[in-house]
Amino acid sequence: MEQNNGTRVTEFILLGFAGQHKSWHVLFIVFLVIYVVTLVGNIGMILLIKTDSSLHTPMYFFLQNLAFVDLCYTSAITPKMLQNLVETEQSISLIGCTVQLLVYGAFAASDCYILAAMAVDRYVAICNPLRYGTVMSQRVCSQLLTGSYFMGFLNASVNTSFTFSLNFCKSNKINHFFCDVPPILALSCSSIYWNIMLLTVFVGFNLTFTVSVVIFSYIFILAAILKISSAAGQKKAFSTCASHLTAVTIFYGTLSYMYLHHRTIESQEQEKMASVFYGVVIPMLNPLIYSLRNQDVREALKGVGKKCF
């Protein structure tokens, strides 16, 4: 780190978890296993949907992209975290930190919008089944997906550029295991008022808009399900939404805690745990949720099993 009146930072030190030097080998094994399961699960989901013609529907089109997005944003942070657990010098270059924040932020924000698009898909499928193929056409699905990626990369590029336009003179030690906006802002000797406002507006809008889409979609879905006369019909209709609803609850609950709660010194380690769950564990859970709780995916897996064995 070059020193002058404005201190030019050329690298950052990722402090990681409190006391990680005492139990680094346990943390390394745990996170390595999680990452391997994440890779296998999400790549497997992508290939399964691509190769099984019965899964070539709008719902699984979005699920395939959800698996891709999960794979990308966890891969932006987990390999570096594993590297820093075994190395004594837990550094990351300025460029590396910028790229990590950009990739992580872009795909994490895209995840929000893809989950919202999946809620719309379930709404159309249950509330307007006769027009499902027309409404959720390939063109519409592609537009929703393009919009999701556009919003993700717009959010990430704006926040990343504003964050790294600051001067850092307090320290180059990031109190986190990856480069995220709040702990980087804590190192700035410039005014961060507009950065905090920008982060609040973007995250607030992303959460408010996508959660509203999900909530209103499920209100109409619930109303439609309650109108079904048979219990078997209600169960079948609800089962098509159960996996998505589980994934949405876990995802948005953790994201809200990470970015919208009041920060204190005592809560920093709790924030890191929430970040681990959001950035490392959830990408592992999503393929498990959709494979264990989804009849179509289970049947497709059985078909692959029969072909292989």
Side-chain angles (χ1 to χ4, degrees):
M1 188 168 69
E2 301 170 12
Q3 297 287 343
N4 53 43
N5 288 338
T7 304
R8 175 67 179 174
V9 171
T10 57
E11 70 172 13
F12 292 100
I13 305 298
L14 296 168
L15 297 180
F17 306 98
Q20 72 175 35
H21 60 283
K22 297 178 181 178
S23 55
W24 68 266
H25 49 291
V26 176
L27 291 173
F28 179 83
I29 293 172
V30 170
F31 289 133
L32 179 61
V33 170
I34 291 174
Y35 187 54
V36 170
V37 173
T38 300
L39 291 177
V40 173
N42 285 287
I43 293 174
M45 184 67 73
I46 292 169
L47 294 176
L48 180 67
I49 294 171
K50 185 176 180 62
T51 56
D52 195 308
S53 59
S54 68
L55 301 179
H56 292 175
T57 64
M59 176 182 175
Y60 296 105
F61 170 76
F62 290 120
L63 179 56
Q64 187 178 40
N65 281 276
L66 183 69
F68 171 72
V69 165
D70 284 346
L71 196 61
C72 289
Y73 83 74
T74 193
S75 294
I77 61 175
T78 308
K80 185 61 180 178
M81 178 178 65
L82 291 171
Q83 179 187 347
N84 285 343
L85 283 172
V86 298
E87 291 185 351
T88 53
E89 186 69 19
Q90 300 166 341
S91 63
I92 184 170
S93 67
L94 177 63
I95 295 176
C97 191
T98 305
V99 172
Q100 185 181 66
L101 179 58
L102 180 64
V103 174
Y104 172 79
F107 285 108
S110 298
D111 212 325
C112 292
Y113 286 91
I114 291 175
L115 285 170
M118 293 175 75
V120 172
D121 171 75
R122 291 300 81 207
Y123 158 72
V124 178
I126 292 174
C127 298
N128 202 353
L130 296 179
R131 298 193 59 208
Y132 178 63
T134 304
V135 176
M136 297 303 295
S137 63
Q138 186 175 357
R139 180 183 176 183
V140 171
C141 291
S142 297
Q143 288 173 341
L144 288 172
L145 184 66
T146 301
S148 298
Y149 284 125
F150 173 77
M151 289 301 297
F153 280 91
L154 175 65
N155 276 262
S157 58
V158 171
N159 276 305
T160 301
S161 59
F162 270 76
T163 298
F164 288 101
S165 66
L166 299 170
N167 292 318
F168 302 101
C169 59
K170 293 180 180 178
S171 171
N172 71 330
K173 295 179 179 179
I174 299 176
N175 189 17
H176 216 307
F177 63 90
F178 73 100
C179 294
D180 198 11
V181 175
I184 295 175
L185 293 182
L187 307 180
S188 174
C189 53
S190 309
S191 171
I192 60 172
Y193 173 80
W194 290 111
N195 296 78
I196 293 174
M197 288 296 295
L198 193 69
L199 182 64
T200 303
V201 168
F202 271 86
V203 174
F205 175 79
N206 290 340
L207 285 175
T208 302
F209 178 76
T210 56
V211 170
S212 296
V213 170
V214 171
I215 289 174
F216 281 109
S217 295
Y218 274 101
I219 288 174
F220 287 112
I221 287 170
L222 181 60
I225 290 176
L226 292 176
K227 291 179 182 178
I228 299 174
S229 56
S230 68
Q234 289 181 343
K235 184 178 179 181
K236 182 179 180 181
F238 184 76
S239 66
T240 63
C241 305
S243 300
H244 178 256
L245 198 55
T246 303
V248 161
T249 303
I250 296 172
F251 181 87
Y252 285 114
T254 310
L255 187 64
S256 299
Y257 176 82
M258 281 175 58
Y259 288 103
L260 297 182
H261 82 291
H262 179 68
R263 287 180 170 79
T264 62
I265 296 175
E266 294 77 12
S267 71
Q268 287 180 348
E269 290 304 313
Q270 294 177 359
E271 288 181 39
K272 292 177 190 177
M273 291 301 104
S275 296
V276 166
F277 193 78
Y278 171 74
V280 180
V281 178
I282 287 179
M284 177 192 70
L285 291 179
N286 279 343
L288 297 176
I289 291 170
Y290 279 98
S291 59
L292 295 176
R293 302 198 64 177
N294 188 291
Q295 184 65 32
D296 293 335
V297 174
R298 289 203 302 268
E299 291 298 324
L301 286 171
K302 288 178 183 177
V304 171
K306 290 177 181 177
K307 290 179 182 178
C308 295
F309 303 104

